[in-house]
Amino acid sequence: MASADTTSSDTRDDAYEFAAPFRAPQGSPIRELFKYVGRPGMISFAGGYPSKDLFDRDGFAHALDAAYRSDPIACLQYGDTAGTPALRGSLARLMGTRGVACNADDIVVTTGSQQGFDLLLRTLIAPGDTALIEEPAYPAAIQALRLAGANIVPVRTDRDGIDVDALAAQLDAWPAAPKPKLLYTVPTFANPTGATLSHARREALVRLAAARRIVLVEDDPYGELRFSGTPVPPMRALADACPGARDWVVYFGSLSKIVAPGLRIGWAIAPAPIARRMIVAKQTSDLCTSPLAQETARHYLDSGSLGLHLRSIVGAYRSRCEALVKALGHFAPGEIAFTAPEGGMFVWARLTGGRDAGEVLKRAIERNVMFVPGPAFFVREPDASSLRLSFAAPSEAEAFEGARRLASALAQA
Ligand code: PMP
């Protein structure tokens, strides 16, 4: 019998009638860089990964063991699509510490907060609908909006986050219909800018979103990683003081940056009509978030380990951020402009003299140091001289050495 040609040409992309957003999909530009991260001796300021030396391995092992021992069936069986009642209760208490009054029924557990945003888009965005997004923005949010077929309109930011007056003017000039359906922002220690929206701007943004009936998406994976300055409440908390505003805020939280991304535990707090639809969307996405992960997260949170762990990682990120800031000033004075953040994981910077960050990255990779060039974070007109440096992963000594290599790459570019 003649053998079938299993590598036949009909496996080419154009053999399939892909849905429009997937005809020429752009993968994540940051994930493209990952092939270099594992290179021996590489110092990476590129990823938004928590530091591997800062995980609470013992606390986590204890929570995993306790979860399994106390209720193995709950860990092994399917669970409620909205999340296990116990974890939803623990997350509601965690939200209480952030100033948000809610109860277990208000929480929808998601498989990472990334899934939460995807579920929200499925409930709200049809191809051609308009979505506003802060710019520069988290690339996977831009990517999710693109794949949803949204008409993506960037909103201006400065060093204090979204420029709310400019946004109000933008909306004043908007045609009566169709109006934007949502606005996405990371108001605290943003990815990529590290910027934090001020208290006054938060109040103004909440009022504006409610008045214009635009869903305000508050993505908050970094809020607890504050190492200097004064804490600001989530917009979801401020919305309680503004009549009707709570109906227009969707909050996303995540354990990825404060416990471990491998857990894949995030959550959403959304107005009931939206939450109900997100749960229906989740039924066809993954049925439920891993009950084993949820039970482990619940035991971890209820053991009180998070508070201690946060103190330890926030202290480490403070030192690492300070080390990077100091080393950049020492090795590349006047060549890189940036504002030091008050928390989170990122320093957003601009090369002086209009140099192209993508070109500098090529020289940098030759010297075993990496960062993410800024254009990945823009919707339309990228700023080619901008870049994002994450200080979370490199130790202080590595941050120092990495900045030295970066300065050498700049000298060559
Ligand atoms: N939002 C932002 C701003 C992020 O930076 C990330 C992770 N890089 C996420 C959401 C996704 O987090 P999770 O692991 O909870 O899906």
Side-chain angles (χ1 to χ4, degrees), residues 112-114 138 184 186 191 219 221-222 254 256-257 264:
S113 56
Q114 189 67 38
Y138 170 47
Y184 172 88
V186 182
N191 181 1
D219 190 9
Y222 302 103
S254 173
S256 290
K257 313 296 175 167
R264 307 308 302 129

Side-chain angles (χ1 to χ4, degrees), residues 357-381:
E359 288 304 313
V360 174
L361 178 64
K362 290 183 198 153
R363 307 283 97 76
I365 288 173
E366 287 162 14
R367 289 163 176 75
N368 260 358
V369 63
M370 282 172 64
F371 56 84
V372 183
F377 304 98
F378 289 80
V379 176
R380 280 186 204 147
E381 289 160 29

